[in-house]
Amino acid sequence: DAILETSQDFPDSSLPLYLRSIITTDDPQADGSLVKDTESYLARHPSDSLALTVLGRQKGLLGDPTAAIPLLQKSVALDPEFADSHLALARAYSDLRDWKQVIVYSRKATILSPGTALAWYDLARALGRIGRKQEADSAMAKFLTLHKQQQNPISTFLYTVH
């Protein structure tokens, strides 16, 4: 209901799309129209970095990281300070097992939003995959500390907004 109110308050904004994407993170198919609605919005606003992040993240969650990456790269280019775009890009590269790129984008997400547990997890995982154990252990310790503080998965994503 709150998202519907947000849609009415911001009728030509990507914010309601972003909020919908946060809610459906655990089940990206739960909101079957989100991809279509975001593509429609982007047809009118092709340089909206938030909408590009939404579409890229959804494509990645739906199992198409190769479609997600160019959308997320464009989002990062348009708004390099938005941690969620970096995190979504790291996740897409993780699906492709490109650990060096995961490190680049998850590290940037940790710099932009140090309280984002998922960014630390992705960084730890990628560092471990390329054999940088000490750095991986340090990032994992940071993840575990933050994860204990953020038991609600939605709160984890909301931290990326700050």
Side-chain angles (χ1 to χ4, degrees):
D1 292 337
I3 292 177
L4 291 176
E5 289 176 24
T6 304
S7 297
Q8 294 166 358
D9 291 341
F10 301 95
D12 202 30
S13 168
S14 57
L15 181 60
L17 296 169
Y18 181 71
L19 294 174
R20 284 170 55 192
S21 75
I22 291 170
I23 290 171
T24 61
T25 297
D26 290 335
D27 182 8
Q29 295 183 356
D31 187 345
S33 64
L34 182 56
V35 169
K36 186 179 112 197
D37 292 348
T38 307
E39 288 172 336
S40 175
Y41 178 85
L42 281 167
R44 298 185 315 275
H45 307 279
S47 295
D48 187 310
S49 63
L50 187 58
L52 288 162
T53 297
V54 169
L55 185 58
R57 184 167 57 204
Q58 288 303 112
K59 295 274 187 180
L61 290 170
L62 291 168
D64 193 356
T66 57
I69 289 171
L71 295 164
L72 295 164
Q73 287 173 329
K74 184 175 179 182
S75 177
V76 165
L78 290 167
D79 187 0
E81 301 301 310
F82 187 48
D84 201 20
S85 299
H86 293 274
L87 178 58
L89 194 47
R91 295 233 141 176
Y93 279 117
S94 180
D95 290 343
L96 298 176
R97 302 195 186 321
D98 186 341
W99 307 120
K100 290 183 180 180
Q101 291 291 17
V102 175
I103 292 168
V104 168
Y105 291 103
S106 58
R107 189 179 307 279
K108 184 64 175 180
T110 65
I111 291 167
L112 293 171
S113 184
T116 304
L118 290 175
W120 288 101
Y121 174 81
D122 289 349
L123 180 59
R125 184 170 177 249
L127 288 165
R129 294 287 180 153
I130 65 166
R132 291 165 59 181
K133 184 176 176 1
Q134 188 173 15
E135 290 173 273
D137 290 346
S138 176
M140 185 56 74
K142 183 69 173 175
F143 162 73
L144 292 171
T145 299
L146 290 168
H147 182 68
K148 288 177 187 172
Q149 296 168 359
Q150 303 169 7
Q151 291 301 310
N152 180 347
I154 290 179
S155 72
T156 302
F157 278 99
L158 292 179
Y159 274 92
T160 64
V161 177
H162 300 305

